[in-house]
Amino acid sequence: MQSASFTLASPSPSLSLLKPRRQPSSFSFNPRFDPIRASSSSSNLNSDSFNVNLSTRRSWSLSSSSSSSPFKLRPWNAPPPCYSDAETNRFEVKATSVPEAAGEKPESSALFKTLELGALFGLWYLFNIYFNIYNKQVLKVYPYPVTVTAIQFAVGTVVVSLMWGLNLYKKPNVSGSQLAVILPLAVVHTLGNVFTNMSLGKVAVSFTHTIKAMEPFFSVVLSAMFLGELPTFWVVASLVPIVGGVALASVTEASFNWAGFWSAMASNLSNQSRNVLSKKVMVKSEESLDNITLFSIITVMSFILLAPVALFMEGVKFTPTFLQSAGLNVNQIYTRSLLAALCFHAYQQVSYMILQRVSPVTHSVGNCVKRVVVIVSSVLFFKTPVSPINTLGTGVALSGVFLYSQVKRLKPKKA
């Protein structure tokens, strides 16, 4: 590199030129820019970091080697700034740091799941209230519970067929082994709904659901038998007020009869068997089906199973001619039966959606809370007469259900 020189005219001797100050060896300056060398020659910067090419600044300074020597004007080249490894790494960490908002995703996801589960429970209760009202109105004037249940499964089968036919939901490819596993579910599902309609046709809606408040008892027994979930002492103790409250309410029930009582008890056994068996089916990953598909198949199979039984037991007693001869309002019976069937399918579907998200015992507790809503709404709608002792028995049973739900959350201590 050639240095610039200056000659000062003066009577004194001429100033000799000084050589430019030599740069440190590690920062040798090359006037010709080489992009390949610039990107690979630096040893102070990490290879994963970015390369910075800074143009060298030039300034001028006066210096003297001794007091007798003349002043020399030399160019001074500022070396490029040197970045240490610590500074480079600090820049990289700051540039790739995770935003603080990312930590909020698990909390928002948990909140969304809680709200979704709460909405499902609300829909479950609402559909069940309307189902019980319309269903009771039909069964009061049309005492054929098996036919009513078959009609409800028929409407559900039509809904499922439309979903599959219009591609609203993917039609499943079910193997023979899967159908063999689902068949017991369809049997207990069919029996549970037939027994419920038998009880609703014989006694008041409030009494049927008071008896069905004993579902935690059946749930604990069946979960221990088939799922290996052994109850704690406090869980067993919480079942005492449930059983005692149902017994007290039964003794003082104005509409009590044994057919309605045992039908409701059989419904408890069937429904809790369905819930436990459903949980066993859904936890088998190699054979598992999603909740909508599982319930849809069960609905179709239940209709196929029950339709011939209804015709054999009760005959063809749903034609307009028969209804008119019985002095019934055909349009009213058909309309209420259709609404009851739609609400029936909707609340059963939501029930399976909840069951896939929670344990069978939790599902049973939610079901018992639903009893409270249904009992209160049916008493108000149908103006059912209730005595103080009957109210006390129902209250004790439902309080036992609440106590059961609380002690069920306590985890047993490991030995």
Side-chain angles (χ1 to χ4, degrees), residues 65-129:
S65 60
S66 65
S67 59
S68 60
S69 62
F71 288 96
K72 301 174 183 178
L73 193 63
R74 63 169 55 178
W76 175 73
N77 294 319
C82 177
Y83 295 95
S84 65
D85 291 340
E87 291 175 340
T88 305
N89 293 335
R90 182 167 61 251
F91 175 82
E92 291 178 348
V93 171
K94 188 178 292 184
T96 59
S97 62
V98 180
E100 296 180 359
E104 301 176 359
K105 289 184 179 179
E107 297 180 0
S108 353
S109 177
L111 178 61
F112 175 77
K113 290 182 179 179
T114 302
L115 294 176
E116 181 186 33
L117 188 61
L120 289 175
F121 272 97
L123 289 174
W124 189 23
Y125 297 169
L126 184 64
F127 287 135
N128 205 281
I129 290 173

Side-chain angles (χ1 to χ4, degrees), residues 72-298:
K72 301 174 183 178
L73 193 63
R74 63 169 55 178
W76 175 73
N77 294 319
C82 177
Y83 295 95
S84 65
D85 291 340
E87 291 175 340
T88 305
N89 293 335
R90 182 167 61 251
F91 175 82
E92 291 178 348
V93 171
K94 188 178 292 184
T96 59
S97 62
V98 180
E100 296 180 359
E104 301 176 359
K105 289 184 179 179
E107 297 180 0
S108 353
S109 177
L111 178 61
F112 175 77
K113 290 182 179 179
T114 302
L115 294 176
E116 181 186 33
L117 188 61
L120 289 175
F121 272 97
L123 289 174
W124 189 23
Y125 297 169
L126 184 64
F127 287 135
N128 205 281
I129 290 173
Y130 280 104
F131 163 72
N132 281 276
I133 291 176
Y134 289 127
N135 203 35
K136 181 62 177 179
Q137 289 176 335
V138 172
L139 290 170
K140 283 176 66 175
V141 297
Y142 185 78
Y144 301 101
V146 180
T147 300
V148 169
T149 308
I151 292 173
Q152 292 167 357
F153 285 134
V155 173
T157 301
V158 172
V159 173
V160 170
S161 301
L162 289 175
M163 290 174 57
W164 289 343
L166 299 176
N167 290 326
L168 299 177
Y169 203 82
K170 184 179 178 181
K171 184 178 179 180
N173 294 321
V174 186
S175 63
S177 60
Q178 287 177 315
L179 290 177
V181 173
I182 298 173
L183 181 60
L185 295 177
V187 172
V188 294
H189 179 74
T190 304
L191 292 175
N193 287 282
V194 169
F195 286 134
T196 298
N197 283 337
M198 285 182 176
S199 180
L200 288 174
K202 296 294 183 179
V203 296
V205 174
S206 57
F207 182 56
T208 296
H209 286 279
T210 299
I211 300 172
K212 288 172 74 66
M214 283 190 64
E215 282 191 345
F217 174 81
F218 292 93
S219 178
V220 168
V221 173
L222 294 175
S223 294
M225 292 175 60
F226 296 102
L227 300 181
E229 298 179 359
L230 298 179
T232 63
F233 168 79
W234 297 109
V235 169
V236 175
S238 67
L239 299 178
V240 175
I242 297 177
V243 177
V246 171
L248 184 61
S250 301
V251 171
T252 58
E253 174 61 35
S255 64
F256 177 86
N257 63 70
W258 287 107
F261 175 83
W262 287 115
S263 296
M265 293 293 286
S267 174
N268 286 339
L269 178 61
S270 300
N271 288 333
Q272 291 310 304
S273 299
R274 177 201 64 190
N275 291 343
V276 173
L277 289 174
S278 298
K279 201 68 178 180
K280 289 197 69 174
V281 170
M282 286 187 281
V283 297
K284 295 180 180 179
S285 58
E286 69 276 3
E287 297 182 356
S288 64
L289 299 170
D290 66 271
N291 52 351
I292 297 179
T293 301
L294 179 61
F295 175 69
S296 300
I297 296 174
I298 288 176

